[in-house]
Amino acid sequence: MSILNVDWDGHLTTFKPAFMRQILEATVENEGGVAYFDPDIVVEARWGFFESWIKNGVAVSSDVVHNMMHPHDPRKLMWRDIAERLNLEFRDFQGYANAGFVGVHRKHRTFLDSWAMLTDKLSEVGLLDPYAFRQRDPTHPFVAADQDVMNMSFHIADVPISLATPDGMGFQTTGATYMAHALGPKKPWQRGFLSQALRRGVRPSYAARRYWEYVEAPVPVFSSWEVRMAKLEIRAAALVARLAG
């Protein structure tokens, strides 16, 4: 395990491409690549699967909301116009990925160069706020900051992209689930499952259940008592939500 110093005064979410490049530069003896996971993701597939996945292209998983974003979606057309103004070639790409996971093989590292370049250029011309996570204006070309810039990079970088379905992050749990990603501001470690079930009839998410299933190892971050209570709360909340629904 190595610890890298991070020299960045903006929002950490906009530092992802530079950080991933920094890891590749610090591990030149590694012939593989780099995989980034948000801290609210539980990895479920075996590691060998991810190693194989990134060899075939930049590995990403479809977002739950915009996953079928068409090349002629209004936001993508705004990206195309911006690319023309920046003298960048813009290719068609259908779909929209969640930026919670990105896997890049060393042979595809130019994708990180494109992503970092776009982040810098868009910040310079005032189209991206490196200190903000999201924009409130839904008509802004980069509402989701790093996620939108990453998806625009799919149109700029001349590398293969391997886009999994939303099941890849456990959003639908009807197919191949490689990860369990807890979306939204309320994270599994904050609990409150029973209160949400009582007030809103919401059952614990798949990602929340998987988080508490794996939280005891290899590095325990809660006591055995806290884990037992959380699992009990999840079962009770699921029962309440089922009765309320």
Side-chain angles (χ1 to χ4, degrees):
M1 179 181 292
S2 301
I3 297 177
L4 299 179
N5 291 322
V6 173
D7 183 17
W8 184 259
D9 62 351
H11 197 293
L12 283 176
T13 193
T14 56
F15 185 61
K16 286 179 187 177
F19 180 57
M20 294 174 73
R21 284 198 308 182
Q22 187 176 346
I23 293 175
L24 286 178
E25 291 165 2
T27 57
V28 291
E29 73 285 352
N30 176 14
E31 297 181 357
V34 56
Y36 169 88
F37 297 87
D38 272 355
D40 56 1
I41 287 179
V42 174
V43 178
E44 299 201 279
R46 57 184 176 79
W47 191 249
F49 167 80
F50 289 98
E51 290 180 323
S52 298
W53 188 5
I54 68 172
K55 289 179 182 178
N56 296 313
V58 175
V60 284
S61 188
S62 296
D63 191 53
V64 65
V65 177
H66 308 293
N67 62 85
M68 294 302 292
M69 188 180 284
H70 193 273
H72 294 134
D73 181 271
R75 194 181 306 177
K76 290 200 173 188
L77 293 179
M78 286 191 283
W79 297 346
R80 185 184 65 186
D81 292 341
I82 292 169
E84 290 178 358
R85 300 205 312 260
L86 296 176
N87 295 316
L88 298 172
E89 187 175 346
F90 193 87
R91 63 174 182 164
D92 281 345
F93 177 80
Q94 180 160 336
Y96 183 92
N98 186 288
F101 161 74
V102 190
V104 181
H105 194 277
R106 190 174 293 276
K107 64 184 177 182
H108 301 137
R109 65 158 294 160
T110 54
F111 169 74
L112 297 176
D113 297 334
S114 297
W115 188 4
M117 175 272 295
L118 270 180
T119 300
D120 292 341
K121 283 186 175 292
L122 294 171
S123 299
E124 289 172 6
V125 299
L127 287 172
L128 179 69
D129 183 356
Y131 298 92
F133 179 65
R134 293 186 66 87
Q135 294 290 334
R136 294 186 178 181
D137 179 5
T139 65
H140 193 282
F142 304 101
V143 176
D146 77 301
Q147 186 162 282
D148 280 346
V149 178
M150 182 190 75
N151 278 274
M152 181 177 174
S153 301
F154 298 155
H155 297 266
I156 302 298
D158 187 18
V159 296
I161 309 295
S162 178
L163 179 65
T165 68
D167 280 332
M169 284 191 169
F171 294 146
Q172 297 172 342
T173 65
T174 58
T177 299
Y178 313 134
M179 298 160 277
H181 190 183
L183 296 179
K186 190 75 171 179
K187 298 305 180 183
W189 52 85
Q190 296 173 304
R191 293 175 54 180
F193 306 118
L194 191 54
S195 64
Q196 291 185 63
L198 289 169
R199 289 187 291 111
R200 299 166 49 203
V202 176
R203 65 177 308 215
S205 68
Y206 175 78
R209 300 196 306 273
R210 301 308 280 169
Y211 173 84
W212 283 101
E213 188 67 29
Y214 291 115
V215 76
E216 293 181 276
V219 180
V221 294
F222 294 98
S223 68
S224 297
W225 169 257
E226 288 175 305
V227 174
R228 285 197 299 270
M229 291 304 296
K231 290 181 177 180
L232 180 61
E233 183 185 6
I234 287 174
R235 288 195 292 270
L239 176 61
V240 169
R242 190 179 303 116
L243 293 174

